[in-house]
Amino acid sequence: MRLPLVSPFTIATGTMTEKIFPLLILRSGGLEGYAEGVMDTLPDYLEETVAGAMDLLATVLLPQVLGKAFPHPLSLARVLAPWRGNFMARATLEMAFWDLWAKALDMPLQTVLGGEGEAVDVGVSLGIAPIAATLDSVASHVLQGYRRIKLKVKRGHDIALLEAVRQEFPDAHLTVDANCSYTLADTDLIRRMDEFDLDYIEQPLAWDDIHDHATLQSRVRTPICLDECIRTVEHARKALQADAARVINIKVGRAGGHAAARAIHDLCEAFCVPVWCGGMLEAGIGRAHNIHLSTLPNFTKPGDTSSASRYFTRDIIEQKLEARDGRMPVPEGPGIGVTLDQHYLSTATLSRQEFRP
């Protein structure tokens, strides 16, 4: 699929003008389960790519499951477990099965995951832009009631931005996301962020690091939130035991699917560490999965599941996933609760493959 973004989205690693992603439809017993892949076209967030994930799905993962019966998503996860890495590709298949399985039970995904509630608190993630433009964007989203404002930062676009935003919005819940743009050599600079009463600093150091984050956390007051480097429950355990993370961002696609995301959620709850649901500029299918996951009890900080219209002029689903007063309603109905807009789907599709047992 290819969806143009309403406006370019810039972070420390680059600028996106469109979202290209695989959409998987699993069919069984007259039902369909849906999931989006969250990998990028180039390995600039993590090492997975769209091309590599689609090849792995086509040649390895789908042939292992098509034509076979699985009584529960965990039984499917056991089939996928022997393959190393490739968490986003595995998540695409696993998440589509969770949707299909919940529909077979005629239950919402949130119910089979163990969540509850009619809506979840949401925040907004603002890309890198000139300070004046960022101030206007913060003002707009504060008025819309978003419960948290996340500012993308990088070396050279950080302290001056925070000074301006905090002066203008002294009571806003602010966080920053560095997307791995600093090192321990920047500790003095990062320590200056303690002045701005941030809820947390997200992934300031390397994408595959836990140890240096523990060192940094010992030197700053603001909680460190880990994102890119938490891909398994073992990563989460090591980070929590080392005090490398006092908040964790759970991205279901990055973690390998709902089963792993729920295990990380439960572990963090045992450590009394809050979690929130991060976003990867998902369209409606991925956004719906995120909303349902966010109804689990330890998702106590607002996630990135802001209104779809912020990113796309038209979504690939019939329903409009729009936040109201900082709350995103949970889609109703079996599974993820949304249906594909078949007409628009055909216009946004770059290529199509069909697999049979």
Side-chain angles (χ1 to χ4, degrees), residues 233-356:
V233 69
E234 290 80 13
H235 292 154
R237 175 182 58 79
K238 292 174 182 178
L240 294 169
Q241 288 177 331
D243 194 26
R246 296 178 183 175
V247 180
I248 284 183
N249 169 359
I250 297 179
K251 290 178 178 173
V252 59
R254 187 197 69 226
H258 283 297
R262 192 171 63 176
I264 294 171
H265 163 277
D266 294 349
L267 178 70
C268 291
E269 188 173 36
F271 274 81
C272 298
V273 167
V275 302
W276 57 279
C277 184
M280 294 288 288
L281 298 183
E282 291 96 340
I285 296 299
R287 198 169 297 268
H289 274 279
N290 289 347
I291 295 167
H292 281 272
L293 179 68
S294 298
T295 63
L296 291 173
N298 197 40
F299 282 92
T300 56
K301 290 188 176 293
D304 277 344
T305 46
S306 55
S307 297
S309 60
R310 294 190 61 250
Y311 302 104
F312 309 111
T313 302
R314 184 170 177 178
D315 206 343
I316 62 171
I317 60 173
E318 298 281 358
Q319 296 77 8
K320 295 186 181 297
L321 300 182
E322 299 293 307
R324 295 189 293 271
D325 296 323
R327 300 271 288 168
M328 176 67 77
V330 179
E332 298 179 354
I336 58 174
V338 298
T339 52
L340 291 170
D341 181 341
Q342 295 292 345
H343 175 70
Y344 186 56
L345 204 66
S346 63
T347 67
T349 298
L350 293 173
S351 64
R352 184 183 184 96
Q353 293 177 277
E354 187 166 343
F355 304 90
R356 297 181 182 274

Side-chain angles (χ1 to χ4, degrees), residues 39 41 79 303:
M39 63 293 297
T41 55
V79 173

